[in-house]
Amino acid sequence: IDTEPKKFLGVVSDKAFYQWFNTFMNSEEYNKLHEKTIGNREISAAATSQIYKAFMSYKDNLLKTLKELAESRRNAEKDNNTELAEILKQAQENTAISIEKDEDNIKQAINTSITKTNEQIDSISEFVAVLGGGYSEDNSNDAMIADILNSKQLMHKLDNNRIKNLLKIVGRMKSIIENTRKTGIQYTASPIQVIYGDNLQKLVSSEYGLLADPDTEDLFYHKYQSKQLLQYDTKAKDKEGKGPVIFCCDYSGSMSGTPLDNAMALFMVMCERAIKDHRMVTFIPFASNAVSRDVNNIKDLLEVLSSNWNVGNSTNFGAPYNIALRILKSNEKMKKADIIFVTDGQAHLYDSFIKEFIKSKKELEFKNFGISIGTSFIKEQLPMYDGIMSMDIYDQSMKWFVDMDKYMKGK
């Protein structure tokens, strides 16, 4: 919260509110809020707006009362009910006085709003931190926190026990996935050729030798300034899926509760990784039917996590895969995608579908990874997958299987 009057009034131009607010600048709750928002214009403005709304809500209720009293008094006078008109007149005067003198109630309203705003910023910050910086460089955490704080609808979605529970699971799952990933998909980089430049982290080791000799030290700095130092031109090897991430999540009846919470926590972790790699994300919930939703920012993610997808109760693998294939075929940029398919059940697929799917994988250059929660995939469907992850329902422990022959023989 910006305590400088000119800047503050630039957000809220109500001098009466500013005067009232001054009385709270030494309270414990205000100091907490000040620490969270100091130096941050977006969050400061959003927090100020929240508190001002609380102030105006209280004020408006009193003004509404005055208006109703005035209307009732006019009706009484119109009906020549002088006794009632006099009572209403007195009530008007008393209410007007309370607007000016009801300091305690207004203080309580603002204090309650400050406390609530503190809690909301903490809750939003925890959620935003899961994505570690947003979906683009200009979509900062601070801007996202302010946007959510300003949106009554998004705040309502975030104030949800299920999402709070997911955040608890995510922290533990991150460390589990990091350990599991070491035996699964690996991202590496290797030197391709030697070029000229000034990147000290990529220098050929012999260039550092120039610094060891006083006679050649100046040469090192000259080459550095003119970008003539020898360095490796490192390019990342092709990753397992440079393209989009398509996350298919089973929403059938058996997934409700812990299995679905584990799946959605995994989705949040994968969103964080996809964001860092600048990859598009599509979410496909499925059961009897399937739908798709692009996740382009944190607001989209919040919508996905808080929605009750109406996709039926039984399990149909064909529906989500058909949508995924349609998405992949619709855009050339969708090549090298990763499909993540999460389920706790099994469903039949025709041999013709499996063969056509495998053919599409080669043509569209995408990968398909299956994640089974407390179950296993049907043997005949295993050729569809480039890797299988088995997740325990209760402790979220995971095992990678990239050798399908070994998996088919009993893991």
Side-chain angles (χ1 to χ4, degrees), residues 188-214:
T188 59
S190 60
I192 304 300
Q193 60 181 332
V194 175
I195 59 173
Y196 293 109
D198 61 351
N199 190 327
L200 298 180
Q201 294 181 338
K202 298 180 180 180
L203 287 191
V204 174
S205 57
S206 60
E207 294 286 44
Y208 284 110
L210 298 174
L211 290 171
D213 189 338

PDB file of all heavy atoms in Angstrom, residues 188-214:
ATOM      1  N   THR A 188      19.608 -32.772 -22.410  1.00  0.00           N
ATOM      2  CA  THR A 188      21.054 -32.559 -22.341  1.00  0.00           C
ATOM      3  C   THR A 188      21.490 -31.565 -23.397  1.00  0.00           C
ATOM      4  O   THR A 188      20.748 -31.234 -24.314  1.00  0.00           O
ATOM      5  CB  THR A 188      21.827 -33.882 -22.577  1.00  0.00           C
ATOM      6  OG1 THR A 188      21.473 -34.391 -23.865  1.00  0.00           O
ATOM      7  CG2 THR A 188      21.475 -34.913 -21.517  1.00  0.00           C
ATOM      8  N   ALA A 189      22.720 -31.093 -23.268  1.00  0.00           N
ATOM      9  CA  ALA A 189      23.297 -30.205 -24.271  1.00  0.00           C
ATOM     10  C   ALA A 189      24.719 -30.662 -24.568  1.00  0.00           C
ATOM     11  O   ALA A 189      25.406 -31.164 -23.697  1.00  0.00           O
ATOM     12  CB  ALA A 189      23.315 -28.767 -23.753  1.00  0.00           C
ATOM     13  N   SER A 190      25.163 -30.492 -25.794  1.00  0.00           N
ATOM     14  CA  SER A 190      26.520 -30.909 -26.149  1.00  0.00           C
ATOM     15  C   SER A 190      27.130 -29.908 -27.118  1.00  0.00           C
ATOM     16  O   SER A 190      26.427 -29.272 -27.885  1.00  0.00           O
ATOM     17  CB  SER A 190      26.481 -32.300 -26.801  1.00  0.00           C
ATOM     18  OG  SER A 190      25.692 -32.255 -27.965  1.00  0.00           O
ATOM     19  N   PRO A 191      28.502 -29.747 -27.063  1.00  0.00           N
ATOM     20  CA  PRO A 191      29.158 -28.820 -27.968  1.00  0.00           C
ATOM     21  C   PRO A 191      29.014 -29.260 -29.419  1.00  0.00           C
ATOM     22  O   PRO A 191      29.174 -30.434 -29.726  1.00  0.00           O
ATOM     23  CB  PRO A 191      30.627 -28.870 -27.532  1.00  0.00           C
ATOM     24  CG  PRO A 191      30.691 -29.743 -26.343  1.00  0.00           C
ATOM     25  CD  PRO A 191      29.390 -30.428 -26.170  1.00  0.00           C
ATOM     26  N   ILE A 192      28.747 -28.303 -30.302  1.00  0.00           N
ATOM     27  CA  ILE A 192      28.619 -28.616 -31.721  1.00  0.00           C
ATOM     28  C   ILE A 192      29.860 -28.146 -32.474  1.00  0.00           C
ATOM     29  O   ILE A 192      30.458 -28.888 -33.221  1.00  0.00           O
ATOM     30  CB  ILE A 192      27.368 -27.940 -32.319  1.00  0.00           C
ATOM     31  CG1 ILE A 192      26.120 -28.367 -31.528  1.00  0.00           C
ATOM     32  CG2 ILE A 192      27.217 -28.280 -33.779  1.00  0.00           C
ATOM     33  CD1 ILE A 192      25.856 -29.844 -31.542  1.00  0.00           C
ATOM     34  N   GLN A 193      30.254 -26.889 -32.245  1.00  0.00           N
ATOM     35  CA  GLN A 193      31.419 -26.347 -32.917  1.00  0.00           C
ATOM     36  C   GLN A 193      31.975 -25.196 -32.098  1.00  0.00           C
ATOM     37  O   GLN A 193      31.381 -24.778 -31.111  1.00  0.00           O
ATOM     38  CB  GLN A 193      31.042 -25.876 -34.318  1.00  0.00           C
ATOM     39  CG  GLN A 193      29.979 -24.780 -34.312  1.00  0.00           C
ATOM     40  CD  GLN A 193      29.607 -24.347 -35.708  1.00  0.00           C
ATOM     41  OE1 GLN A 193      30.418 -24.437 -36.623  1.00  0.00           O
ATOM     42  NE2 GLN A 193      28.391 -23.857 -35.889  1.00  0.00           N
ATOM     43  N   VAL A 194      33.139 -24.702 -32.511  1.00  0.00           N
ATOM     44  CA  VAL A 194      33.781 -23.575 -31.817  1.00  0.00           C
ATOM     45  C   VAL A 194      33.548 -22.315 -32.631  1.00  0.00           C
ATOM     46  O   VAL A 194      33.734 -22.291 -33.854  1.00  0.00           O
ATOM     47  CB  VAL A 194      35.299 -23.828 -31.642  1.00  0.00           C
ATOM     48  CG1 VAL A 194      35.972 -22.605 -31.021  1.00  0.00           C
ATOM     49  CG2 VAL A 194      35.517 -25.054 -30.768  1.00  0.00           C
ATOM     50  N   ILE A 195      33.135 -21.252 -31.937  1.00  0.00           N
ATOM     51  CA  ILE A 195      32.876 -19.966 -32.587  1.00  0.00           C
ATOM     52  C   ILE A 195      33.542 -18.863 -31.783  1.00  0.00           C
ATOM     53  O   ILE A 195      34.133 -19.112 -30.726  1.00  0.00           O
ATOM     54  CB  ILE A 195      31.350 -19.683 -32.695  1.00  0.00           C
ATOM     55  CG1 ILE A 195      30.722 -19.681 -31.305  1.00  0.00           C
ATOM     56  CG2 ILE A 195      30.679 -20.699 -33.590  1.00  0.00           C
ATOM     57  CD1 ILE A 195      29.259 -19.256 -31.292  1.00  0.00           C
ATOM     58  N   TYR A 196      33.465 -17.598 -32.259  1.00  0.00           N
ATOM     59  CA  TYR A 196      33.972 -16.447 -31.525  1.00  0.00           C
ATOM     60  C   TYR A 196      32.834 -15.791 -30.743  1.00  0.00           C
ATOM     61  O   TYR A 196      31.687 -15.732 -31.207  1.00  0.00           O
ATOM     62  CB  TYR A 196      34.585 -15.418 -32.480  1.00  0.00           C
ATOM     63  CG  TYR A 196      35.846 -15.882 -33.163  1.00  0.00           C
ATOM     64  CD1 TYR A 196      35.854 -16.187 -34.527  1.00  0.00           C
ATOM     65  CD2 TYR A 196      37.037 -16.008 -32.449  1.00  0.00           C
ATOM     66  CE1 TYR A 196      37.010 -16.611 -35.165  1.00  0.00           C
ATOM     67  CE2 TYR A 196      38.197 -16.443 -33.074  1.00  0.00           C
ATOM     68  CZ  TYR A 196      38.180 -16.737 -34.427  1.00  0.00           C
ATOM     69  OH  TYR A 196      39.320 -17.170 -35.047  1.00  0.00           O
ATOM     70  N   GLY A 197      33.173 -15.257 -29.545  1.00  0.00           N
ATOM     71  CA  GLY A 197      32.160 -14.570 -28.763  1.00  0.00           C
ATOM     72  C   GLY A 197      32.713 -14.054 -27.450  1.00  0.00           C
ATOM     73  O   GLY A 197      33.935 -13.988 -27.255  1.00  0.00           O
ATOM     74  N   ASP A 198      31.810 -13.703 -26.515  1.00  0.00           N
ATOM     75  CA  ASP A 198      32.241 -13.180 -25.204  1.00  0.00           C
ATOM     76  C   ASP A 198      31.484 -13.845 -24.061  1.00  0.00           C
ATOM     77  O   ASP A 198      31.375 -13.299 -22.969  1.00  0.00           O
ATOM     78  CB  ASP A 198      32.025 -11.666 -25.142  1.00  0.00           C
ATOM     79  CG  ASP A 198      30.571 -11.264 -25.306  1.00  0.00           C
ATOM     80  OD1 ASP A 198      29.749 -12.144 -25.634  1.00  0.00           O
ATOM     81  OD2 ASP A 198      30.257 -10.079 -25.105  1.00  0.00           O
ATOM     82  N   ASN A 199      30.932 -15.048 -24.316  1.00  0.00           N
ATOM     83  CA  ASN A 199      30.209 -15.781 -23.280  1.00  0.00           C
ATOM     84  C   ASN A 199      31.209 -16.562 -22.433  1.00  0.00           C
ATOM     85  O   ASN A 199      31.732 -17.589 -22.855  1.00  0.00           O
ATOM     86  CB  ASN A 199      29.183 -16.724 -23.920  1.00  0.00           C
ATOM     87  CG  ASN A 199      28.239 -17.326 -22.888  1.00  0.00           C
ATOM     88  OD1 ASN A 199      28.622 -17.568 -21.756  1.00  0.00           O
ATOM     89  ND2 ASN A 199      27.002 -17.556 -23.294  1.00  0.00           N
ATOM     90  N   LEU A 200      31.454 -16.071 -21.222  1.00  0.00           N
ATOM     91  CA  LEU A 200      32.492 -16.663 -20.373  1.00  0.00           C
ATOM     92  C   LEU A 200      32.140 -18.073 -19.918  1.00  0.00           C
ATOM     93  O   LEU A 200      33.031 -18.863 -19.585  1.00  0.00           O
ATOM     94  CB  LEU A 200      32.731 -15.771 -19.148  1.00  0.00           C
ATOM     95  CG  LEU A 200      33.235 -14.342 -19.454  1.00  0.00           C
ATOM     96  CD1 LEU A 200      33.419 -13.565 -18.165  1.00  0.00           C
ATOM     97  CD2 LEU A 200      34.546 -14.395 -20.232  1.00  0.00           C
ATOM     98  N   GLN A 201      30.857 -18.402 -19.894  1.00  0.00           N
ATOM     99  CA  GLN A 201      30.445 -19.734 -19.463  1.00  0.00           C
ATOM    100  C   GLN A 201      30.712 -20.800 -20.525  1.00  0.00           C
ATOM    101  O   GLN A 201      30.728 -21.985 -20.227  1.00  0.00           O
ATOM    102  CB  GLN A 201      28.956 -19.726 -19.105  1.00  0.00           C
ATOM    103  CG  GLN A 201      28.632 -18.869 -17.889  1.00  0.00           C
ATOM    104  CD  GLN A 201      27.152 -18.910 -17.543  1.00  0.00           C
ATOM    105  OE1 GLN A 201      26.328 -19.222 -18.398  1.00  0.00           O
ATOM    106  NE2 GLN A 201      26.817 -18.589 -16.311  1.00  0.00           N
ATOM    107  N   LYS A 202      30.936 -20.367 -21.779  1.00  0.00           N
ATOM    108  CA  LYS A 202      31.125 -21.327 -22.863  1.00  0.00           C
ATOM    109  C   LYS A 202      32.545 -21.296 -23.445  1.00  0.00           C
ATOM    110  O   LYS A 202      32.799 -21.870 -24.492  1.00  0.00           O
ATOM    111  CB  LYS A 202      30.113 -21.047 -23.985  1.00  0.00           C
ATOM    112  CG  LYS A 202      28.663 -21.210 -23.550  1.00  0.00           C
ATOM    113  CD  LYS A 202      27.698 -20.926 -24.689  1.00  0.00           C
ATOM    114  CE  LYS A 202      26.249 -21.088 -24.258  1.00  0.00           C
ATOM    115  NZ  LYS A 202      25.308 -20.802 -25.363  1.00  0.00           N
ATOM    116  N   LEU A 203      33.453 -20.612 -22.764  1.00  0.00           N
ATOM    117  CA  LEU A 203      34.821 -20.459 -23.296  1.00  0.00           C
ATOM    118  C   LEU A 203      35.551 -21.788 -23.423  1.00  0.00           C
ATOM    119  O   LEU A 203      35.408 -22.683 -22.585  1.00  0.00           O
ATOM    120  CB  LEU A 203      35.644 -19.552 -22.395  1.00  0.00           C
ATOM    121  CG  LEU A 203      35.349 -18.047 -22.413  1.00  0.00           C
ATOM    122  CD1 LEU A 203      36.431 -17.302 -21.663  1.00  0.00           C
ATOM    123  CD2 LEU A 203      35.219 -17.525 -23.819  1.00  0.00           C
ATOM    124  N   VAL A 204      36.334 -21.902 -24.488  1.00  0.00           N
ATOM    125  CA  VAL A 204      37.275 -23.008 -24.604  1.00  0.00           C
ATOM    126  C   VAL A 204      38.315 -22.822 -23.504  1.00  0.00           C
ATOM    127  O   VAL A 204      38.795 -21.711 -23.251  1.00  0.00           O
ATOM    128  CB  VAL A 204      37.942 -23.008 -26.000  1.00  0.00           C
ATOM    129  CG1 VAL A 204      39.027 -24.071 -26.083  1.00  0.00           C
ATOM    130  CG2 VAL A 204      36.890 -23.210 -27.080  1.00  0.00           C
ATOM    131  N   SER A 205      38.672 -23.900 -22.806  1.00  0.00           N
ATOM    132  CA  SER A 205      39.527 -23.804 -21.619  1.00  0.00           C
ATOM    133  C   SER A 205      40.864 -23.110 -21.889  1.00  0.00           C
ATOM    134  O   SER A 205      41.410 -22.428 -21.019  1.00  0.00           O
ATOM    135  CB  SER A 205      39.779 -25.198 -21.039  1.00  0.00           C
ATOM    136  OG  SER A 205      40.363 -26.044 -22.020  1.00  0.00           O
ATOM    137  N   SER A 206      41.406 -23.243 -23.110  1.00  0.00           N
ATOM    138  CA  SER A 206      42.709 -22.632 -23.410  1.00  0.00           C
ATOM    139  C   SER A 206      42.679 -21.113 -23.325  1.00  0.00           C
ATOM    140  O   SER A 206      43.702 -20.480 -23.040  1.00  0.00           O
ATOM    141  CB  SER A 206      43.172 -23.054 -24.815  1.00  0.00           C
ATOM    142  OG  SER A 206      42.222 -22.633 -25.788  1.00  0.00           O
ATOM    143  N   GLU A 207      41.494 -20.512 -23.527  1.00  0.00           N
ATOM    144  CA  GLU A 207      41.389 -19.051 -23.455  1.00  0.00           C
ATOM    145  C   GLU A 207      41.631 -18.547 -22.032  1.00  0.00           C
ATOM    146  O   GLU A 207      42.154 -17.453 -21.829  1.00  0.00           O
ATOM    147  CB  GLU A 207      40.010 -18.589 -23.945  1.00  0.00           C
ATOM    148  CG  GLU A 207      39.748 -18.835 -25.418  1.00  0.00           C
ATOM    149  CD  GLU A 207      40.516 -17.868 -26.316  1.00  0.00           C
ATOM    150  OE1 GLU A 207      41.705 -17.619 -26.063  1.00  0.00           O
ATOM    151  OE2 GLU A 207      39.926 -17.375 -27.282  1.00  0.00           O
ATOM    152  N   TYR A 208      41.243 -19.361 -21.042  1.00  0.00           N
ATOM    153  CA  TYR A 208      41.469 -18.955 -19.654  1.00  0.00           C
ATOM    154  C   TYR A 208      42.960 -18.918 -19.331  1.00  0.00           C
ATOM    155  O   TYR A 208      43.396 -18.233 -18.406  1.00  0.00           O
ATOM    156  CB  TYR A 208      40.758 -19.914 -18.694  1.00  0.00           C
ATOM    157  CG  TYR A 208      39.275 -19.691 -18.623  1.00  0.00           C
ATOM    158  CD1 TYR A 208      38.391 -20.623 -19.157  1.00  0.00           C
ATOM    159  CD2 TYR A 208      38.744 -18.552 -18.022  1.00  0.00           C
ATOM    160  CE1 TYR A 208      37.019 -20.432 -19.107  1.00  0.00           C
ATOM    161  CE2 TYR A 208      37.368 -18.352 -17.961  1.00  0.00           C
ATOM    162  CZ  TYR A 208      36.515 -19.291 -18.504  1.00  0.00           C
ATOM    163  OH  TYR A 208      35.166 -19.085 -18.450  1.00  0.00           O
ATOM    164  N   GLY A 209      43.745 -19.651 -20.118  1.00  0.00           N
ATOM    165  CA  GLY A 209      45.195 -19.648 -19.898  1.00  0.00           C
ATOM    166  C   GLY A 209      45.817 -18.277 -20.107  1.00  0.00           C
ATOM    167  O   GLY A 209      46.877 -17.971 -19.553  1.00  0.00           O
ATOM    168  N   LEU A 210      45.147 -17.431 -20.924  1.00  0.00           N
ATOM    169  CA  LEU A 210      45.653 -16.082 -21.154  1.00  0.00           C
ATOM    170  C   LEU A 210      45.674 -15.255 -19.876  1.00  0.00           C
ATOM    171  O   LEU A 210      46.509 -14.355 -19.715  1.00  0.00           O
ATOM    172  CB  LEU A 210      44.803 -15.368 -22.214  1.00  0.00           C
ATOM    173  CG  LEU A 210      44.779 -15.999 -23.613  1.00  0.00           C
ATOM    174  CD1 LEU A 210      43.796 -15.272 -24.511  1.00  0.00           C
ATOM    175  CD2 LEU A 210      46.189 -15.963 -24.231  1.00  0.00           C
ATOM    176  N   LEU A 211      44.753 -15.569 -18.964  1.00  0.00           N
ATOM    177  CA  LEU A 211      44.682 -14.819 -17.704  1.00  0.00           C
ATOM    178  C   LEU A 211      45.791 -15.215 -16.738  1.00  0.00           C
ATOM    179  O   LEU A 211      46.118 -14.453 -15.818  1.00  0.00           O
ATOM    180  CB  LEU A 211      43.323 -15.051 -17.033  1.00  0.00           C
ATOM    181  CG  LEU A 211      42.103 -14.425 -17.705  1.00  0.00           C
ATOM    182  CD1 LEU A 211      40.816 -14.926 -17.050  1.00  0.00           C
ATOM    183  CD2 LEU A 211      42.177 -12.897 -17.612  1.00  0.00           C
ATOM    184  N   ALA A 212      46.358 -16.394 -16.937  1.00  0.00           N
ATOM    185  CA  ALA A 212      47.383 -16.888 -16.007  1.00  0.00           C
ATOM    186  C   ALA A 212      48.730 -16.218 -16.209  1.00  0.00           C
ATOM    187  O   ALA A 212      49.579 -16.232 -15.315  1.00  0.00           O
ATOM    188  CB  ALA A 212      47.523 -18.406 -16.158  1.00  0.00           C
ATOM    189  N   ASP A 213      48.935 -15.623 -17.377  1.00  0.00           N
ATOM    190  CA  ASP A 213      50.230 -14.985 -17.689  1.00  0.00           C
ATOM    191  C   ASP A 213      50.034 -13.476 -17.792  1.00  0.00           C
ATOM    192  O   ASP A 213      49.230 -13.003 -18.609  1.00  0.00           O
ATOM    193  CB  ASP A 213      50.756 -15.550 -19.013  1.00  0.00           C
ATOM    194  CG  ASP A 213      52.189 -15.100 -19.305  1.00  0.00           C
ATOM    195  OD1 ASP A 213      52.611 -14.072 -18.746  1.00  0.00           O
ATOM    196  OD2 ASP A 213      52.857 -15.796 -20.089  1.00  0.00           O
ATOM    197  N   PRO A 214      50.767 -12.692 -16.986  1.00  0.00           N
ATOM    198  CA  PRO A 214      50.640 -11.225 -17.031  1.00  0.00           C
ATOM    199  C   PRO A 214      50.875 -10.657 -18.433  1.00  0.00           C
ATOM    200  O   PRO A 214      50.287  -9.629 -18.799  1.00  0.00           O
ATOM    201  CB  PRO A 214      51.693 -10.734 -16.047  1.00  0.00           C
ATOM    202  CG  PRO A 214      51.887 -11.877 -15.098  1.00  0.00           C
ATOM    203  CD  PRO A 214      51.712 -13.120 -15.935  1.00  0.00           C
TER     204      PRO A 214
END
